[in-house]
Amino acid sequence: MTTASQTPGALPPETPPARPPLPLSEALAAPTPNPEVPHRLRAPFPEPAMPECCMCSTGPQAGPLSPDPRGRRYESGAQVLYCKACLPPPLPVQAAEGVIAAAMKAGAVTSREIAQAEHEAGILFDAQAAADIAAAAYEQAQAEDEAELVERGRQLARMAGDHRKLTAVLRLIEGRPGTDLLTVAQIAVAAEYGTTALDSFPMTLAWNGSVDIPGPGDTHKKAVIGCTSSYGGRADLVVEGDARIRLASLVDAEVRDVHAPCPTDGCGTVETPRFGTALSGWVRIEVAGTEDTAPRWYCSPMCVSDALARAGEQLAAADDQAAAAGGEL
C-alpha cells in the first residue's frame, strides 16, 4: 500500500468540512425539524446559529450570501447559504462540465466534437425543437377542448329535449285537482312531442270570491286572490308591492287606494325633488284648510287626484267635527 493510495484527495466543492459535534446546550437549542422539507433536499450537516456560509462559516458581514443552487435546506427549513468564493456553479454548468470532461477523456479535442457530445447528452437548448414541442402540446390540448365542447353540446341537447318533455307534462297537469285522471295517450303525446293541445290557449281562472289583503304591519305587501282553474283545481293569483295599486287602478278607478305611497322618489314632498330640469310635468299644489303648511310636489295627475281626495277627506272630517261641536253648544 502506497502513501498516495491512503490520501483521499481533494473534497468536492459542495462537501462541507468536518465539524465537531454540537455541545449539549446547543443540541437542545437546535431548531425543530420541519416535516415539509423533503429528505432529498435536507443538508447533511448541522444548521448554524446565525446565517453563514456552510463551507467557510463566513457571515453576511463579509459579503452577500447566496442560496444553494441545489435548493438544499436545513432540517428547520432554512436555506443552505454560500459565500461568493465557495458558491458552487449552477447545475447546468456542472452537467456541462461533466459531459465536456468525459468527451475530452474520450479523445474529443475540437469544439465540434465537444458540442456533439453535449448534444448527445441532451444539454443543448434547441429553440425550434422547444417551440415545436410547445405547439404540438397546444394543438393537442385545443383538440381535446374542442372534443369536450362537442360532447358537452350533445349532452345539453339531450337534456334540453328531456326538459322540454318534462315541461309539457307539467303544463298538462297544471291547474288540475289531485283527483283528476289523465289518459296514458295524453301523457305520452306530451312527453313525445314536448307540447300539449292547450299550449296555444291561456289558462282560464275563475275568482272564488276570496282575497287575502295584507295589513299595515305586513312587510311583504302581498295580496293573494283565490281562484279556481277551468279543471277545478285551486289557483292563486299573487300580486305584490305596488302592483296591487296598479291592478286596482286598472280594474276600477274608484277602488284605488288614495293613501298608498307613490313609488316615485320625491312625489308628495314639500322639498323640491333634486332632479334638475327633469321636473317637466310635475305639479305643485296647496289645498287651503288642510294640515299642510306648504305646497307639495306631485309627479302625475293620478297623484294630484289622490292628494285632492285626501284633502277632501280632511276637510269633510273637519266639517263634521265643527258641526258636532256646534250641536253640543
Side-chain angles (χ1 to χ4, degrees):
M1 181 181 296
T2 61
T3 306
S5 64
Q6 298 178 357
T7 303
L11 295 175
E14 67 274 9
T15 304
R19 296 186 177 183
L22 293 174
L24 180 59
S25 58
E26 296 184 8
L28 294 177
T32 304
N34 188 349
E36 296 183 0
V37 179
H39 183 74
R40 60 183 178 82
L41 294 180
R42 292 187 181 182
F45 36 88
E47 179 180 356
M50 298 295 293
E52 62 180 27
C53 177
C54 63
M55 298 293 296
C56 61
S57 301
T58 301
Q61 65 277 4
L65 300 177
S66 303
D68 187 0
R70 294 186 177 183
R72 293 184 298 179
R73 295 177 176 270
Y74 295 107
E75 291 187 353
S76 64
Q79 290 181 329
V80 176
L81 302 176
Y82 285 91
C83 64
K84 185 177 181 180
C86 301
L87 181 65
L91 295 180
V93 176
Q94 296 181 18
E97 182 181 3
V99 171
I100 294 174
M104 295 177 63
K105 186 177 180 180
V109 293
T110 64
S111 58
R112 175 170 294 182
E113 292 175 345
I114 295 176
Q116 182 64 30
E118 294 181 351
H119 175 71
E120 294 175 355
I123 62 175
L124 286 181
F125 177 74
D126 188 351
Q128 185 60 41
D132 294 340
I133 294 174
Y138 174 77
E139 292 177 358
Q140 181 179 359
Q142 189 175 15
E144 293 177 355
D145 292 341
E146 292 178 354
E148 184 177 358
L149 289 176
V150 171
E151 181 61 26
R152 291 287 180 88
R154 294 173 182 172
Q155 295 177 0
L156 290 177
R158 290 194 297 267
M159 292 175 61
D162 296 339
H163 179 71
R164 185 169 59 254
K165 295 177 181 179
L166 176 61
T167 304
V169 174
L170 292 178
R171 289 198 306 270
L172 184 63
I173 65 177
E174 186 177 15
R176 298 178 182 268
T179 57
D180 197 4
L181 299 178
L182 291 172
T183 63
V184 175
Q186 291 175 302
I187 300 176
V189 170
E192 179 66 22
Y193 299 103
T195 183
T196 66
L198 301 176
D199 284 349
S200 59
F201 299 96
M203 177 181 293
T204 303
L205 302 179
W207 181 39
N208 58 17
S210 64
V211 179
D212 184 8
I213 301 177
D218 190 354
T219 58
H220 297 287
K221 301 297 181 182
K222 179 174 64 175
V224 180
I225 304 174
C227 301
T228 303
S229 70
S230 57
Y231 299 104
R234 174 184 173 182
D236 292 339
L237 176 61
V238 180
V239 188
E240 300 186 41
D242 298 330
R244 297 184 299 108
I245 305 173
R246 293 195 298 269
L247 177 60
S249 301
L250 292 174
V251 174
D252 191 347
E254 295 181 359
V255 301
R256 186 174 64 250
D257 186 5
V258 297
H259 297 280
C262 178
T264 305
D265 187 18
C267 183
T269 59
V270 176
E271 299 291 335
T272 302
R274 300 179 180 274
F275 297 151
T277 60
L279 286 174
S280 177
W282 284 60
V283 181
R284 189 166 183 252
I285 63 173
E286 180 182 6
V287 181
T290 60
E291 298 177 356
D292 293 339
T293 59
R296 294 180 179 271
W297 287 94
Y298 298 96
C299 66
S300 64
M302 182 181 296
C303 292
V304 173
S305 177
D306 293 344
L308 294 177
R310 291 193 297 269
E313 291 180 358
Q314 293 182 13
L315 294 176
D319 292 341
D320 292 342
Q321 291 179 0
E328 291 178 358
L329 293 175

